[in-house]
């Protein structure tokens, strides 16, 4: 039998509702900025404007100040210029 692949991965972790702020460096053009910190669980299909740091147990995704981020139907983080 073939392995079953889920339609989408559900992310439930101890950081599910943690939100805050953190200073991050965005290069010489933008310098240091205060970025919101969220988890993937806090994102949805509504685009949110950066700067955002999306925290996960094994990585951190940086959403630059001139981009928006949202989740697609498979829980992928999709970024686009705002």
């Amino acid at each position: 039998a073939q392995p079953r692949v889920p339609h989408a991965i559900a992310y439930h972790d101890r950081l599910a509702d943690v939100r805050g702020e953190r200073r991050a460096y965005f290069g010489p053009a933008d310098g240091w900025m205060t970025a919101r910190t969220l988890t993937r669980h806090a994102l949805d299909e509504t685009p949110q404007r950066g700067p955002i740091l999306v925290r996960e147990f094994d990585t951190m995704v940086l959403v630059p100040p001139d981009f928006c981020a949202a989740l697609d139907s498979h829980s992928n983080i999709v970024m686009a210029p705002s």
Side-chain angles (χ1 to χ4, degrees):
Q2 294 291 326
R4 187 177 158 280
V5 178
H7 174 70
I9 297 173
Y11 292 91
H12 302 286
D13 62 23
R14 61 185 172 82
L15 300 174
D17 294 320
V18 175
R19 296 172 191 233
E21 292 182 340
R22 181 174 166 179
R23 304 254 313 143
Y25 185 70
F26 290 92
D30 293 315
W32 287 94
M33 300 179 77
T34 300
R36 292 180 296 139
T37 58
L38 307 172
T39 59
R40 182 186 298 253
H41 183 74
L43 290 173
D44 59 23
E45 67 279 347
T46 305
Q48 295 191 40
R49 188 178 178 132
I52 302 171
L53 297 169
V54 183
R55 295 173 40 191
E56 301 200 64
F57 72 94
D58 62 347
T59 193
M60 186 173 292
V61 177
L62 174 72
V63 182
D66 52 348
F67 275 71
C68 289
L71 291 183
D72 69 9
S73 61
H74 298 285
S75 295
N76 296 307
I77 299 172
V78 178
M79 290 190 277
S82 55

